[in-house]
């Protein structure tokens, strides 16, 4: 923490300091979904309505599938209102997805359109299918399994982690901002330490033992492959295509999949090099001096690597 609010600056401890990782949390949602796919409890290509306890409004006749949700191709219009509330607030995941859902503006599978709602909906389906609240499901089946003892989707954080969260800053000279409550919580509410994120990356690279594995080898491979083709995407399939919860970010002859994440104050990015058995995670607690400094720093670090 910078100490700009009059307190003494504190160095980041990669084991102890927590950061809000924003939409990198979506990779955890996709992992939870694919665990249930492995168990035969979710079908990637079935109409998601079968898993829901409310009627999902749609503009088109074609079914919305879990594959669409995880690839941002369900066609939902994106909303910023209510995405992040400054300060502690109570969030109901079911209300977030069932009350006044966004309009569907594209035919499913045809147009990539980033959708926080889609990932909240996927997380609600995890709750419905598993019979377990999403945060609890992730604690038991992801975080605990790989030893991520310094991470949580809870808002606010549990008391034992609360004081370890880095403060977040609009710029490098502003005072610390308040806690940010993500309205569509699973799409971006995760707080995690750098060391814990390393454990998560090792699990996704298949580098941990069987007792710590999150997914089987075939599912780990499936998650990193393009999830849609020209059958539905048309000419858009000629460009980089999204995998299941991960974006194609390959360059310089390396296969790379990753996901970035941003809140008002925190900025993060995770990249996996599946063929190189390598992962990179960078996280920042401020925009920097200029409004784009955080983006330039992330891009230079990841491209330089």
């Amino acid at each position: 923490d910078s100490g700009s609010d009059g307190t003494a600056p504190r160095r980041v401890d990669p084991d102890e300091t927590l950061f809000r990782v924003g939409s990198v949390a979506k990779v955890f949602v996709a992992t939870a979904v694919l665990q249930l796919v492995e168990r035969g409890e979710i079908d990637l290509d079935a109409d998601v309505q079968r898993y829901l306890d409310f009627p999902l409004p749609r503009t088109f006749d074609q079914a919305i599938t879990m594959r669409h949700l995880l690839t941002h191709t369900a066609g939902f219009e994106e909303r910023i209102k209510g995405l992040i509330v400054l300060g502690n607030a109570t969030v109901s995941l079911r209300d977030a997805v069932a009350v006044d859902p966004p309009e569907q503006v594209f035919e499913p599978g045809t147009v990539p359109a980033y959708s926080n709602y889609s990932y909240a909906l996927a997380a609600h389906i995890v709750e419905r299918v598993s019979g377990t609240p999403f945060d609890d499901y992730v604690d038991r089946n992801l975080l605990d399994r790989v030893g991520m003892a310094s991470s949580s989707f809870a808002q606010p954080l549990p008391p034992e982690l609360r004081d370890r969260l880095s403060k977040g800053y609009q710029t490098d000279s502003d005072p610390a901002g308040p806690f940010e409550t993500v309205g569509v919580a699973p799409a971006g509410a995760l707080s995690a330490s750098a060391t814990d994120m390393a454990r998560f990356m090792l699990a996704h690279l298949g580098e941990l033992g069987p007792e710590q594995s999150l997914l089987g080898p075939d599912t780990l491979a499936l998650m990193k492959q393009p999830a849609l083709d020209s059958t539905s995407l048309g000419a858009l399939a000629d460009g980089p295509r999204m995998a299941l919860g991960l974006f194609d970010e390959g360059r310089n002859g390396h296969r790379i999949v990753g996901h970035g994440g941003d809140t008002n104050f925190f900025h993060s990015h995770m990249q996996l090099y599946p063929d190189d058995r390598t992962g990179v995670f960078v996280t920042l607690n401020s925009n920097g001096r200029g409004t784009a400094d955080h983006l330039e720093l992330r891009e230079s670090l990841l491209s330089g690597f």
Side-chain angles (χ1 to χ4, degrees):
D1 289 335
S2 73
S4 61
D5 56 357
T7 60
R10 291 186 302 167
R11 288 186 180 275
V12 167
D13 182 327
D15 294 335
E16 293 291 320
T17 308
L18 275 63
F19 288 79
R20 307 301 302 281
V21 302
S23 287
V24 179
K26 290 181 173 68
V27 187
F28 290 74
V29 176
T31 303
V33 167
L34 287 168
Q35 286 182 338
L36 296 172
V37 170
E38 277 192 333
R39 297 176 202 164
E41 297 178 38
I42 290 178
D43 183 333
L44 280 173
D45 297 304
D47 189 333
V48 295
Q49 187 62 61
R50 70 161 64 171
Y51 307 114
L52 296 173
D53 55 342
F54 64 92
L56 186 64
R58 56 190 68 184
T59 307
F60 302 90
D61 293 334
Q62 183 181 345
I64 296 171
T65 69
M66 184 60 76
R67 190 183 297 272
H68 295 143
L69 296 182
L70 297 186
T71 55
H72 296 289
T73 58
F76 293 118
E77 188 174 41
E78 178 64 334
R79 282 184 185 157
I80 300 300
K81 182 180 179 181
L83 184 59
I84 295 178
V85 177
L86 295 182
N88 293 326
T90 301
V91 173
S92 162
L93 178 53
R94 188 188 184 282
D95 286 351
V97 295
V99 178
D100 190 28
E103 185 178 353
Q104 188 187 32
V105 294
F106 300 115
E107 184 177 348
T110 63
V111 180
Y114 196 83
S115 173
N116 283 288
Y117 175 80
S118 290
Y119 269 78
L121 191 62
H124 180 57
I125 290 171
V126 169
E127 288 191 331
R128 294 273 301 156
V129 171
S130 69
T132 308
F134 179 77
D135 290 3
D136 293 344
Y137 180 92
V138 170
D139 283 348
R140 297 174 194 170
N141 296 282
L142 279 76
L143 306 184
D144 289 352
R145 189 171 297 177
V146 299
M148 295 180 67
S150 297
S151 302
S152 176
F153 271 86
Q155 298 183 121
L157 281 165
E160 65 272 16
L161 296 179
R162 207 166 295 170
D163 291 340
R164 291 167 51 192
L165 178 65
S166 169
K167 293 175 181 175
Y169 304 87
Q170 191 70 46
T171 72
D172 66 354
S173 58
D174 283 328
F179 183 82
E180 299 168 280
T181 299
V182 180
V184 282
L190 179 65
S191 303
S193 70
T195 300
D196 275 7
M197 289 303 300
R199 292 186 174 100
F200 183 69
M201 291 189 291
L202 286 167
H204 267 280
L205 292 166
E207 296 292 326
L208 299 182
E211 70 284 352
Q212 292 183 291
S213 64
L214 296 177
L215 297 165
D218 290 345
T219 310
L220 284 175
L222 176 69
M223 191 173 177
K224 298 172 182 65
Q225 296 167 0
L228 294 173
D229 58 25
S230 59
T231 305
S232 63
L233 288 173
L236 290 172
D238 294 336
R241 285 180 286 156
M242 192 175 179
L244 295 170
L246 292 159
F247 289 94
D248 174 5
E249 300 179 351
R251 64 180 177 277
N252 299 336
H254 292 272
R255 185 164 68 105
I256 308 169
V257 289
H259 210 298
D262 298 271
T263 69
N264 292 306
F265 310 129
F266 292 88
H267 308 281
S268 306
H269 209 112
M270 182 188 79
Q271 288 190 333
L272 300 170
Y273 290 64
D275 304 326
D276 301 291
R277 300 172 61 191
T278 298
V280 184
F281 175 70
V282 57
T283 188
L284 309 166
N285 66 356
S286 167
N287 289 323
R289 187 159 300 169
T291 55
D293 285 359
H294 68 91
L295 184 60
E296 292 175 8
L297 177 57
R298 279 156 56 184
E299 287 186 348
S300 64
L301 188 150
L302 294 170
S303 296
F305 182 87

